Amino acid sequence: MLAFLGGTGPEGKGLALRFAMAGEEVVIGSRDAGRAREAAESLLELAPGSAISGDVNEAAAAASIIFVTVPYEGQRTLLENLAPMLAGKLVVTAVAPMSFVRGRGAVALEVDDGSAAQEAQNILSESQVVASFQNISAVKLMDPAVEMEGDVVVCSDHGEAREQVIGLVSKIPKLRGVDGGALSNARYVEQLTTLLVNINRIHKTQSMIKIVGV
Amino acid sequence: MLAFLGGTGPEGKGLALRFAMAGEEVVIGSRDAGRAREAAESLLELAPGSAISGDVNEAAAAASIIFVTVPYEGQRTLLENLAPMLAGKLVVTAVAPMSFVRGRGAVALEVDDGSAAQEAQNILSESQVVASFQNISAVKLMDPAVEMEGDVVVCSDHGEAREQVIGLVSKIPKLRGVDGGALSNARYVEQLTTLLVNINRIHKTQSMIKIVGV
């Protein structure tokens, strides 16, 4: 079972939708259990399969793979509270620290630990943290009629967990997981999200990337 | 005429080769005029057309578009010395600040100005600085038998100069210039180079990127 913490936001809900469409059991977790329930119900209308909901503790407890899809500002508190419950589990963070500045568009935030993903791993020292899915358009994810097409770079200091997530990516048609090596590389993937957001504004599109030659 | 400062290194020489193959007149500039002459001669063996050489001053004076393809460590001194000569000209920087750390691979260097490109624009206040070509594999550029395939993100605070470079990119078959907006976005493109270098090591390849959906 896959849990999506922050699963009421577009990125989490969109990823949950795509994995539900792929036949995975998903659980939507939110601080607001009512909103989580609504999100799970709307998923069931869009995709056959199984979608349940709960508060973040219930969702984290229910699943063996936990996706973190909260805004960066919410990541630290969420993970510090859940750290004991997430010990021994695979935690995928799709967080890309970013703010919006008038006249400049999206701007990547500096993170003391190097990246949101490294910060997550430092908080969750007993979990296997994998950085992935930061570059995927939430708008596209949320529309089941839209086929995703692109590469998803997967970084982790835990090789087996990285391989497991590369396998998960391939459950979504036309997405490909690309081994991005150590978690220290997540920094560049997170910042790439900011570039894509700004490119989207310029070109009025929802872009993704492909790594050509891999 | 296009000048390549640092044109004896693989990135500069490779770019010069591709533009020479496209019929552009190129001039190779180096601190070492002898090495520049050798580089220009080897270009002429690979591509028909026109390739001349000179020291960096001669190359910068001869061309209206100047490519900066030196290692980041050499950029500041080079540009401070050439600033008066580059006033009013279009300067393309392909510099991606990076170091190599044992056990970690490539690591992006922090730049006080935000990026090598912003640093270049701050030094060259009278020039139009465009950030581009940072993600293009020098190894592929240098082999005329290899077809390039990928997207080249082009960032600048000077809209006309940006458009001009987007047009230049398209002279190299199968490369596409993508408007990346303001020069502040160059930071993310430069850091992407570090990710690609690390992906290349993992996958034993020479990767490039495509922006899907643009």
Side-chain angles (χ1 to χ4, degrees):
Chain A
M1 184 173 284
L2 310 176
F4 295 84
L5 308 185
T8 58
E11 188 79 16
K13 198 171 155 185
L15 278 173
L17 170 63
R18 296 293 172 154
F19 282 114
M21 287 167 70
E24 295 285 318
E25 291 186 314
V26 303
V27 51
I28 303 285
S30 172
R31 280 183 306 181
D32 182 334
R35 286 189 63 211
R37 195 171 56 245
E38 282 170 29
E41 283 167 3
S42 72
L43 275 192
L44 286 172
E45 288 172 17
L46 293 167
S50 159
I52 60 172
S53 65
D55 65 25
V56 288
N57 288 282
E58 291 166 340
S64 55
I65 301 181
I66 290 92
F67 285 77
V68 180
T69 56
V70 296
Y72 172 63
E73 293 70 19
Q75 180 182 267
R76 174 173 286 281
T77 303
L78 175 76
L79 296 186
E80 283 177 348
N81 289 335
L82 291 178
M85 188 173 294
L86 294 174
K89 296 193 176 192
L90 197 168
V91 177
V92 181
T93 174
V95 172
M98 198 186 305
S99 66
F100 289 87
V101 177
R102 188 182 291 272
R104 279 186 66 194
V107 176
L109 296 174
E110 284 299 313
V111 176
D112 287 343
D113 295 24
S115 62
Q118 287 164 293
E119 184 180 305
Q121 182 67 81
N122 289 341
I123 297 168
L124 304 175
S125 56
E126 303 297 317
S127 307
Q128 287 98 51
V129 170
V130 178
S132 195
F133 293 102
Q134 307 98 323
N135 296 334
I136 297 297
S137 158
V139 175
K140 283 191 171 174
L141 285 171
M142 285 289 288
D143 182 350
V146 171
E147 200 170 53
M148 309 301 295
E149 191 186 359
D151 286 338
V152 172
V153 181
V154 182
C155 302
S156 178
D157 292 335
H158 302 274
E160 274 187 36
R162 194 169 59 223
E163 289 302 319
Q164 206 173 336
V165 173
I166 291 171
L168 264 181
V169 174
S170 68
K171 298 201 172 188
I172 302 177
K174 293 221 180 179
L175 285 192
R176 179 179 69 147
V178 171
D179 185 341
L183 202 63
S184 53
N185 288 328
R187 171 186 181 81
Y188 314 121
V189 186
E190 292 176 11
Q191 299 216 12
L192 178 55
T193 306
T194 306
L195 178 67
L196 293 177
V197 165
N198 288 331
I199 283 177
N200 290 348
R201 288 163 63 111
I202 294 165
H203 297 271
K204 306 197 192 318
T205 188
Q206 294 292 327
S207 62
M208 300 206 288
I209 60 142
K210 279 192 179 178
I211 313 285
V212 187
V214 171
Chain B
M1 183 174 284
L2 310 177
F4 295 84
L5 308 185
T8 57
E11 188 78 16
K13 198 170 155 186
L15 277 173
L17 170 63
R18 296 293 172 153
F19 282 113
M21 286 167 70
E24 296 286 318
E25 290 186 316
V26 302
V27 51
I28 302 285
S30 171
R31 281 183 304 182
D32 181 336
R35 286 189 62 211
R37 193 171 56 246
E38 283 171 30
E41 283 166 4
S42 72
L43 276 192
L44 286 172
E45 288 172 18
L46 293 167
S50 159
I52 60 171
S53 66
D55 65 27
V56 288
N57 288 283
E58 292 166 339
S64 54
I65 301 181
I66 290 92
F67 285 76
V68 179
T69 56
V70 295
Y72 172 64
E73 293 69 20
Q75 181 183 265
R76 173 172 288 281
T77 303
L78 175 76
L79 296 185
E80 282 177 349
N81 289 335
L82 291 178
M85 188 173 296
L86 294 174
K89 296 194 177 191
L90 197 168
V91 177
V92 180
T93 173
V95 172
M98 198 185 308
S99 67
F100 290 86
V101 178
R102 187 182 291 269
R104 279 187 65 195
V107 175
L109 295 175
E110 284 299 313
V111 177
D112 286 343
D113 295 22
S115 61
Q118 288 164 294
E119 183 180 306
Q121 182 66 82
N122 290 342
I123 297 167
L124 303 175
S125 56
E126 303 297 317
S127 305
Q128 288 98 51
V129 170
V130 178
S132 196
F133 294 102
Q134 307 97 324
N135 297 332
I136 297 297
S137 158
V139 175
K140 283 191 171 175
L141 285 171
M142 283 289 289
D143 182 350
V146 171
E147 200 170 50
M148 308 301 295
E149 190 186 0
D151 287 338
V152 173
V153 181
V154 182
C155 302
S156 178
D157 292 337
H158 302 273
E160 273 186 38
R162 194 168 60 223
E163 290 303 320
Q164 207 173 339
V165 174
I166 290 171
L168 263 182
V169 175
S170 67
K171 299 201 172 187
I172 302 177
K174 293 223 179 180
L175 285 192
R176 179 178 69 148
V178 171
D179 185 341
L183 203 63
S184 52
N185 288 329
R187 170 187 181 81
Y188 314 121
V189 186
E190 292 176 12
Q191 299 217 11
L192 179 54
T193 306
T194 306
L195 178 66
L196 294 177
V197 166
N198 287 330
I199 283 177
N200 290 347
R201 288 162 63 112
I202 294 165
H203 298 271
K204 305 198 192 318
T205 187
Q206 294 292 327
S207 61
M208 300 206 290
I209 60 144
K210 278 192 178 177
I211 314 284
V212 187
V214 169

